Amino acid sequence: MIYRLLAINIDGTLLKSNGKLSRETKEAIEYVRNKDVYITLVTSRNFPSAKKVAKALKLDSYLITHSGAFIAKTLDEPLFESRFSEEKTFNIVQVLETYNCSIRLVHERFSIGNRVKQKGNLMGKIIANSNDPLFYPIQFVQSLSDQLVDFPVAAPKIEVYFSTKEEMLEVKDIISKSFPEVNIVEAYDVMFEITPGVASKEQGLRRLSDHLGIALEETVVIADSMSDIPMIAAAGLGVAMWNSPFEVKKAADWVTRSNDHDGVAYMIKEHFRKQQRIEFLRKITKQ
């Protein structure tokens, strides 16, 4: 099988635990790009944050961001975008605010969250370690629903953080029953993401591969989280990181090293070293 599209998750996969890109990973990305393989990043991050990582890798490709709700090369010209209506965003926030949870509306141009004191403060830690660009505004308000009355937002993604997993599961069940048309994905033990029903990482990969004219069988996915399982299973070659949960490894065709041991670089060297440049292969088949 000749693989023409490589889709890589960012956090826990491409980046080390300290949030850095290793030299080996950068060299591996350059290596596979020189074989005419199209490389995309698939992430729950906002577009500006993902674009920052892509720039460090010298990638100018479409990026699948906001867990599949925003696919673009540039901020102003998305290939695909899906967002909750202003009314639906408000309604979901109203239900969430009846519980002790931190809520973050993640837009492609900014994020806005409520001020809730929680044990562990996972939301604060994630935002602090996200390496969001300086030009990506992050705002906190006392009441999100009050803010939305005066300044409505049509959000592509809503992140919700809790103090305990029990609280998270309880509210997840309530949101699922109240809004059956949305996607809810557990990103951490005490956090879930809400996206429009037509948006997911797997659906984002399908949309991009269709746009590029590349079959899913010609796609390699490297990822590490539970939300990546459908995408890993749909790819021609699904690869899980060693630091992935067991369920992710079980869904994969191959397991590489951990993100702290250059698992992406190792996988690329193992699976792409025998593959000739795609343009060269085209010339051979035409002879």
Side-chain angles (χ1 to χ4, degrees):
M1 173 61 68
I2 301 301
Y3 296 112
R4 301 171 55 204
L5 172 61
L6 174 60
I8 312 173
N9 185 46
I10 294 180
D11 297 288
T13 301
L14 193 65
L15 302 182
K16 290 180 174 290
S17 296
N18 62 6
K20 303 297 184 181
L21 277 168
S22 71
R23 176 178 56 83
E24 289 78 8
T25 297
K26 290 181 180 179
E27 290 175 351
I29 296 297
E30 177 71 17
Y31 172 78
V32 77
R33 190 175 61 211
N34 288 337
K35 289 179 176 284
D36 302 324
V37 175
Y38 196 97
I39 305 171
T40 185
L41 305 181
V42 187
T43 180
S44 62
R45 287 188 177 210
N46 61 69
F47 179 80
S49 180
K51 188 69 175 178
K52 182 180 177 181
V53 177
K55 186 175 180 180
L57 293 169
K58 300 179 182 178
L59 296 178
D60 186 29
S61 51
Y62 286 104
L63 307 177
I64 302 170
T65 64
H66 297 273
S67 296
F70 194 83
I71 305 172
K73 276 188 179 181
T74 63
L75 193 59
D76 296 323
E77 297 181 1
L79 172 68
F80 172 81
E81 58 181 324
S82 177
R83 59 187 76 246
F84 298 113
S85 66
E86 293 175 353
E87 180 182 8
K88 182 61 66 65
T89 302
F90 178 79
N91 290 341
I92 293 174
V93 167
Q94 270 201 315
V95 174
L96 290 171
E97 282 190 329
T98 61
Y99 300 92
N100 184 39
C101 58
S102 297
I103 309 161
R104 186 188 187 198
L105 305 183
V106 185
H107 192 274
E108 66 270 17
R109 296 182 183 275
F110 60 87
S111 80
I112 179 170
N114 63 341
R115 289 193 180 96
V116 174
K117 289 185 178 180
Q118 285 184 308
K119 179 182 178 182
N121 193 17
L122 177 62
M123 180 179 181
K125 291 178 182 177
I126 288 177
I127 292 175
N129 295 327
S130 66
N131 290 317
D132 283 340
L134 294 176
F135 52 83
Y136 184 76
I138 301 173
Q139 180 185 3
F140 291 94
V141 296
Q142 291 298 335
S143 170
L144 264 182
S145 55
D146 288 349
Q147 176 78 6
L148 293 176
V149 170
D150 297 325
F151 303 99
V153 173
K157 183 165 72 95
I158 302 172
E159 298 176 352
V160 195
Y161 303 79
F162 300 85
S163 294
T164 68
K165 185 169 185 176
E166 289 73 23
E167 291 175 326
M168 185 271 291
L169 292 174
E170 177 188 354
V171 178
K172 178 188 174 186
D173 184 59
I174 291 169
I175 294 296
S176 298
K177 292 176 179 176
S178 303
F179 305 95
E181 71 281 8
V182 308
N183 278 334
I184 303 179
V185 175
E186 296 178 30
Y188 298 93
D189 283 345
V190 292
M191 178 266 199
F192 61 73
E193 302 174 346
I194 311 173
T195 56
V198 295
S200 70
K201 290 180 179 179
E202 178 203 356
Q203 290 167 321
L205 179 64
R206 290 182 182 276
R207 288 188 175 96
L208 180 56
S209 63
D210 286 346
H211 176 74
L212 298 173
I214 298 174
L216 278 181
E217 291 77 13
E218 301 173 299
T219 298
V220 176
V221 168
I222 313 176
D224 73 292
S225 72
M226 296 291 288
S227 63
D228 299 320
I229 289 178
M231 178 175 64
I232 288 172
L237 178 63
V239 180
M241 304 297 291
W242 185 256
N243 48 287
S244 304
F246 171 77
E247 294 87 346
V248 180
K249 295 176 184 176
K250 186 177 179 181
D253 303 302
W254 204 73
V255 178
T256 187
R257 296 172 179 172
S258 74
N259 61 324
D260 287 327
H261 291 87
D262 296 312
V264 169
Y266 177 74
M267 182 274 157
I268 286 174
K269 290 175 183 176
E270 285 294 306
H271 278 269
F272 284 96
R273 58 190 172 89
K274 295 180 181 179
Q275 180 170 307
Q276 298 289 342
R277 290 180 66 245
I278 292 173
E279 187 59 35
F280 172 75
L281 295 172
R282 285 199 189 104
K283 291 179 181 179
I284 290 179
T285 57
K286 289 179 181 178
Q287 291 178 357

